[in-house]
């Protein structure tokens, strides 16, 4: 088993990325646990979900203190994501730990990562396009936000990936007049109840490694606090291309 400090260091680095960009949590931690540490796919997803939930509670508390969370958007997403997540947990419970479930999780994870890549790389163009596009009716935006919640609830429960980059890309299109910092804070806040539900469901099925979880949290909590404080201060282009290329390699490797 790897030294505990390696888990703590991984938690620190991933927590920092989550706080700074709203991207990188499940996209990096779950593949890291599977490919580098040899954790079984469902256990990696379950452990990462609870790790993400607890980590993002601290990030959300800090963002709430700064008043940058759009709670109405969070509630609309939750209306779609929690029912979808619950249905996915029932599906996983029905099949139980099996080669089929491991293969399904690995492939969904790979696809989710590959979807994440264009969401990261083309973020500036999405922002420009959405700013110039015609404004959608408020009712349409509400419905699409709930649909986004359904998609994210499914992806996150099965792979722990999606709430960051994919969610941020969609929110950028739906809410072009909301600042990037507010969207990142809103995205992180939505991930908390979803990750708690999905992670709790995996935990009840015995798919969470409690020791690894604690070691990850020892690094991730200071990491996300530091990342949140530095949000918007580091070159966005450099971090975007770094994440995009890294996730493309990992996604292809998972598939």
């Amino acid at each position: 088993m790897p030294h505990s400090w390696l888990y703590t260091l991984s938690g620190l680095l991933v927590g920092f990325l989550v706080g700074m960009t709203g991207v990188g949590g499940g996209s990096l931690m779950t593949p890291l646990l599977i490919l580098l540490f040899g954790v079984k796919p469902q256990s990696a997803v379950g452990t990462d979900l609870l790790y993400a939930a607890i980590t993002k509670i601290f990030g959300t508390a800090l963002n709430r203190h700064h008043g940058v969370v759009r709670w109405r958007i969070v509630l609309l997403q939750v209306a779609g994501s929690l029912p979808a997540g619950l249905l996915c947990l029932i599906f996983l419970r029905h099949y139980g730990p099996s080669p089929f479930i491991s293969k399904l999780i690995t492939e969904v994870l790979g696809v989710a990562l590959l979807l994440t890549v264009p969401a990261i790389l083309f973020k500036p163009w999405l922002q420009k396009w959405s700013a110039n596009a015609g404004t959608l009716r408020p009712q349409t935006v509400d419905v699409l936000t709930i649909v986004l919640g359904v998609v994210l609830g499914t992806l996150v429960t099965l792979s722990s990936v999606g709430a960051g980059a994919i969610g941020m890309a969609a929110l950028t299109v739906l809410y072009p007049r909301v600042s990037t910092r507010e969207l990142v804070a809103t995205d992180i806040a939505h991930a908390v109840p979803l990750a708690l539900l999905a992670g709790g469901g995996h935990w009840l099925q015995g798919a969470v490694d409690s020791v690894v979880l604690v070691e990850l949290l020892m690094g991730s909590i200071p990491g996300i606090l530091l990342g949140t404080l530095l949000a918007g201060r580091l070159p966005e282009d450099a971090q975007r291309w770094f994440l995009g290329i890294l996730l493309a390699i990992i996604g292809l490797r998972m598939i």
Side-chain angles (χ1 to χ4, degrees):
M1 184 174 177
H3 293 294
S4 60
W5 67 267
L6 286 175
Y7 288 117
T8 303
L9 178 62
S10 299
L12 177 68
L13 294 174
V14 174
F16 177 76
L17 282 172
V18 171
M20 189 173 60
T21 66
V23 176
S27 303
L28 291 174
M29 185 54 72
T30 303
L32 199 66
L33 290 173
I34 295 171
L35 297 176
L36 188 61
F37 295 127
V39 178
K40 291 181 179 179
Q42 190 171 359
S43 181
V45 169
T47 302
D48 177 68
L49 283 167
L50 283 182
Y51 149 82
I54 297 169
T55 300
K56 290 180 179 182
I57 285 173
F58 286 85
T60 299
L62 191 56
N63 285 325
R64 181 178 177 275
H65 175 71
H66 291 147
V68 291
V69 179
R70 293 291 187 102
W71 292 106
R72 186 175 183 277
I73 300 175
V74 172
L75 291 174
L76 287 170
Q77 286 185 283
V78 163
S81 64
L82 294 192
L86 188 58
L87 287 175
C88 288
L89 288 172
I90 293 170
F91 170 80
L92 292 173
R93 176 72 175 175
H94 174 72
Y95 282 95
S98 65
F100 166 71
I101 290 298
S102 292
K103 187 172 186 293
L104 174 68
I105 289 174
T106 302
E107 291 183 353
V108 170
L109 176 57
V111 171
L113 288 172
L114 293 179
L115 288 173
T116 297
V117 173
I120 293 174
L121 295 182
F122 301 130
K123 182 182 173 184
W125 290 275
L126 274 175
Q127 288 174 322
K128 289 178 184 176
W129 177 82
S130 59
N132 295 327
T135 305
L136 294 171
R137 293 171 56 209
Q139 296 89 336
T140 304
V141 173
D142 289 350
V143 170
L144 290 175
T145 303
I146 294 171
V147 172
L148 172 64
V150 172
V151 173
L152 295 181
T154 303
L155 283 176
V156 169
T157 305
L158 289 177
S159 71
S160 79
V161 174
I166 298 172
M168 273 296 296
L171 289 176
T172 298
V173 173
L174 292 173
Y175 300 93
R177 292 178 176 83
V178 179
S179 70
T180 299
R181 188 183 181 192
E182 287 179 308
L183 289 180
V184 169
T186 300
D187 183 67
I188 290 174
H190 165 246
V192 172
L194 175 57
L196 281 174
L197 171 76
H202 283 278
W203 178 73
L204 289 174
Q205 296 179 40
V208 173
D209 190 322
S210 302
V211 175
V212 172
L213 175 62
V214 171
E215 290 168 349
L216 291 174
L217 288 171
M218 287 172 64
S220 69
I221 292 172
I224 196 169
L225 292 175
L226 180 61
T228 301
L229 291 171
L230 291 177
R233 298 186 188 182
L234 297 180
E236 189 174 337
D237 284 350
Q239 66 187 27
R240 189 175 71 249
W241 282 97
F242 169 75
L243 278 173
I245 294 169
L246 180 63
L247 294 180
I249 294 170
I250 296 172
L252 290 169
R253 175 69 181 85
M254 295 303 301
I255 292 177

